[in-house]
């Protein structure tokens, strides 16, 4: 049936797939090695982008490349933004949320703040609020363009965005790390957390303290510039985890 084909079709749109072990003995070895790697790297400031992410798809009257309107209203699909859907078993990861909301960007824009930094490999930007642990919306900056049908899953800013401030990373437009860090600091407005943000972006090897200070030098009229410069003046300590920076 069309429904059967559509329910499985987006699996082909995953951004990668783990190889299948040849036997149970191999599976046990792989699990043990993976567990040891997790223990070793849980405080590594860099993180690999997951390979099981699912790209949202639009409605398809045939049910081949996406759900029909009837299927989209059922239990096998969930809407990620207006007109875009993923299967309900799509992974529950920050990167999945970032990928889903990045699909709102059509003519111009980028994910920014914590989402840009996480997409580029910074582990400690996990999309939760440092004060209460609640999930944050995915921040998007549009450079003055409008996005259709905004909702609580994305925080949309029409702030200026120069072409040289964004790059295309694994299918997603993302702001450069200094701009992303600046936007994240402006979002929460907390000096201690701002220092943590700068330290963790540096620890993830996305930028240097010189890069960040140079970026701020030309932002005199921007909201939040004083706070960002205060953070930049203190940061550069070589911290490897948020606990060290705090």
């Amino acid at each position: 049936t069309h429904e059967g084909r559509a329910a499985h079709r987006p699996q082909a749109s995953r951004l990668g797939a783990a190889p299948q072990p040849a036997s149970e003995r191999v599976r046990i070895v792989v699990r043990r090695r993976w567990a040891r790697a997790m223990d070793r790297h849980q405080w590594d400031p860099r993180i690999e982008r997951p390979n099981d992410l699912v790209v949202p798809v639009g409605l398809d009257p045939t049910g081949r490349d996406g759900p029909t309107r009837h299927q989209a209203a059922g239990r096998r699909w969930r809407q990620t933004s207006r007109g875009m859907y993923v299967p309900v078993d799509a992974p529950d990861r920050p990167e999945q949320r970032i990928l889903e909301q990045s699909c709102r960007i059509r003519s111009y824009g980028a994910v920014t703040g914590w989402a840009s930094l996480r997409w580029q490999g910074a582990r400690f930007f996990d999309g939760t609020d440092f004060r209460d642990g609640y999930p944050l919306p995915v921040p998007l900056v549009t450079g003055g363009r409008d996005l259709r049908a905004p909702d609580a899953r994305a925080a949309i800013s029409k702030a200026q965005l120069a072409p040289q401030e964004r790059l295309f990373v694994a299918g997603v437009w993302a702001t450069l790390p200094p701009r992303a860090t600046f936007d994240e600091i402006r979002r929460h407005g907390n000096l201690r957390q701002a220092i943590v943000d700068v330290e963790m972006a540096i620890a993830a090897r996305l930028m240097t303290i010189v890069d960040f200070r140079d970026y701020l030098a030309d932002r005199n009229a921007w909201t939040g510039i004083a706070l960002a410069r205060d953070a930049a003046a203190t940061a550069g300590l070589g911290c490897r985890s948020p606990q060290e920076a705090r």
Side-chain angles (χ1 to χ4, degrees):
T1 65
H2 288 324
E3 182 174 354
R5 289 199 299 272
H8 296 286
R9 181 68 177 185
Q11 301 296 323
S13 295
R14 291 183 184 269
L15 296 187
Q20 293 297 317
S23 68
E24 183 59 28
R25 170 180 259 176
V26 172
R27 282 195 289 270
I28 292 172
V29 171
V30 169
R31 284 199 297 268
R32 287 175 178 170
R33 288 179 177 174
W34 183 82
R36 287 198 297 270
M38 287 298 292
D39 289 341
R40 185 168 63 251
H41 296 307
Q42 63 177 333
W43 294 110
D44 189 329
R46 281 200 61 80
I47 188 171
E48 294 299 317
R49 193 177 304 109
N51 62 6
D52 60 351
L53 305 180
V54 182
V55 180
V57 294
L59 295 174
D60 181 357
T62 71
R64 288 192 297 268
D65 297 320
T68 65
R69 190 173 300 277
H70 176 72
Q71 290 166 348
R75 294 179 297 174
R76 294 186 178 184
W77 298 86
R78 64 174 174 84
Q79 187 184 61
T80 60
S81 59
R82 184 173 180 179
M84 303 299 288
Y85 300 85
V86 294
V88 294
D89 61 351
D92 182 16
R93 306 179 189 277
E95 291 85 356
Q96 181 65 37
R97 291 205 291 132
I98 295 166
L99 179 61
E100 290 172 5
Q101 299 311 310
S102 73
C103 292
R104 294 176 184 267
I105 299 168
R106 303 295 177 145
S107 62
Y108 191 76
V111 300
T112 191
W114 71 263
S116 174
L117 296 166
R118 178 69 174 219
W119 190 255
Q120 295 178 72
R123 177 183 298 274
F124 296 113
F125 297 89
D126 64 358
T128 61
D129 194 301
F130 71 93
R131 288 162 289 216
D132 54 25
Y134 281 98
L136 295 166
V138 174
L140 307 176
V141 58
T142 68
R145 278 73 165 181
D146 289 318
L147 292 183
R148 296 175 58 190
D151 59 54
R153 292 169 289 192
I156 299 170
S157 166
K158 291 185 180 181
Q160 297 176 31
L161 178 65
Q164 63 269 24
E165 288 186 292
R166 67 175 193 155
L167 69 166
F168 199 59
V169 182
V172 170
W173 282 107
T175 52
L176 294 176
R179 171 62 188 266
T181 306
F182 181 41
D183 284 347
E184 181 65 6
I185 291 171
R186 291 176 349 121
R187 178 191 66 79
H188 59 66
N190 180 282
L191 177 58
R192 178 171 292 186
Q193 183 60 33
I195 296 169
V196 173
D197 293 340
V198 177
E199 289 287 345
M200 293 307 97
I202 294 171
R205 303 189 298 278
L206 298 183
M207 68 179 189
T208 67
I209 190 61
V210 174
D211 292 334
F212 190 55
R213 290 170 180 166
D214 286 349
Y215 178 81
L216 299 180
D218 297 326
R219 296 293 180 274
N220 291 332
W222 284 63
T223 302
I225 187 61
L227 175 63
R229 284 175 175 166
D230 286 346
T234 303
L237 306 173
C239 299
R240 299 275 296 171
S241 72
Q243 288 76 6
E244 290 180 62
R246 292 191 177 102

